[in-house]
Amino acid sequence: MRLVFLGPPGCGKGTQAKLLCQKLEAEHIGTGDLLRVSMRTGTPAGIEAARHVDQGNLVPDQVVNDLIAERFARADRPARFILDGYPRTLPQAMACDTILAKYNLSLDGVVLISVPDREIVRRVSGRWSCPLAGCKATYHVISNPPRLTGICDDCGTHLVQRSDDAPGTVEARLLVYHRDTEPLLPYYRAKGLLRFVDGTEEISQVGKLLRSAIGE
Ligand code: AMP
């Protein structure tokens, strides 16, 4: 399976991509995660990205297209994957098609996980994430708390709140989502790839809806 997960920030893309990748033995490729690693390690791409991420803006297309192109250029490129949070603009969607075509790969489906804006603001303000690169688990103080407050269930790392999850920044990210990412819907609909999932249900139910949407 080669999929793209689309949806507003906090819709559950990352959580669902992680769960489905474990099930399908596919690689989870999240540009947000890749950028956070670059920012933490202070690479040139990370320094460039930080200026945009902290304001709730998208980083330039070239930066994320290069990250994805680099991943697929490696000999161990994945045959099965979920792209989580990429593409996010029309130029990225076109670049994504070009990168995949270079290795005779194409997408099997694009899933939109929809959640209304007011629910997104509630969710993101209570979100805590595991900063460990190989883990990336996320929690919510009320709807999905860790067993021990502030500690990741999966790996025991201290959880953190992302700086771009601050209330003002979430609203900026939602605006950017509606303006720059929603135009991808007609693009993928025209290719017959688009599927819809209601992301307001609880995590396991969204997972079921998702698997049925992709015929798994
Ligand atoms: P995420 O973890 O997917 O919510 O991404 C966090 C932030 O990283 C976003 O708000 C953007 O600033 C940046 N980002 C992640 N993916 C992309 C992308 N495909 N294009 C541009 N910026 C991105």
Side-chain angles (χ1 to χ4, degrees):
M1 273 276 165
R2 295 186 284 273
L3 301 170
V4 165
F5 280 6
L6 285 179
C11 71
K13 296 188 294 291
T15 303
Q16 295 296 341
K18 188 178 171 195
L19 292 170
L20 192 60
C21 280
Q22 281 163 359
K23 213 175 166 67
L24 301 178
E25 293 183 5
E27 184 165 315
H28 176 194
I29 306 176
T31 38
D33 296 325
L34 295 174
L35 289 168
R36 279 185 287 280
V37 171
S38 311
M39 290 190 289
R40 265 203 303 276
T41 49
T43 64
I47 294 166
E48 162 77 2
R51 294 192 295 123
H52 305 278
V53 173
D54 290 342
Q55 304 296 314
N57 292 323
L58 295 182
V59 309
D61 290 336
Q62 192 64 49
V63 174
V64 281
N65 289 338
D66 286 351
L67 285 175
I68 296 294
E70 278 162 25
R71 175 64 196 98
F72 281 93
R74 291 199 336 239
D76 66 346
R77 79 186 61 86
R80 292 189 297 273
F81 55 82
I82 298 178
L83 293 173
D84 154 23
Y86 177 89
R88 260 175 156 104
T89 65
L90 272 175
Q92 288 180 26
M94 290 181 230
C96 179
D97 289 343
T98 308
I99 294 165
L100 296 181
K102 189 167 171 191
Y103 305 103
N104 289 321
L105 296 169
S106 58
L107 295 172
D108 299 314
V110 174
V111 184
L112 171 70
I113 305 178
S114 36
V115 175
D117 286 6
R118 63 179 182 287
E119 169 66 7
I120 291 296
V121 174
R122 187 198 69 81
R123 279 189 189 187
V124 172
S125 57
R127 175 157 77 172
W128 287 78
S129 324
C130 178
L132 191 77
C135 179
K136 306 183 284 193
T138 57
Y139 301 88
H140 186 275
V141 279
I142 299 186
S143 54
N144 178 33
R147 284 191 296 271
L148 272 178
T149 305
I151 304 290
C152 180
D153 289 351
D154 293 349
C155 68
T157 303
H158 279 275
L159 302 174
V160 294
Q161 262 193 313
R162 282 167 43 177
S163 58
D164 60 340
D165 279 350
T169 316
V170 176
E171 275 140 28
R173 289 164 66 202
L174 276 169
L175 202 135
V176 166
Y177 170 75
H178 292 304
R179 188 190 61 205
D180 296 337
T181 307
E182 278 182 347
L184 297 189
L185 304 182
Y187 178 81
Y188 286 124
R189 187 181 290 117
K191 291 177 180 283
L193 291 173
L194 194 60
R195 313 275 178 273
F196 295 91
V197 166
D198 176 2
T200 59
E201 302 283 345
E202 57 146 280
I203 294 173
S204 61
Q205 179 61 14
V206 175
K208 274 191 205 151
L209 295 173
L210 227 159
R211 288 195 299 280
S212 115
I214 59 166
E216 269 295 314

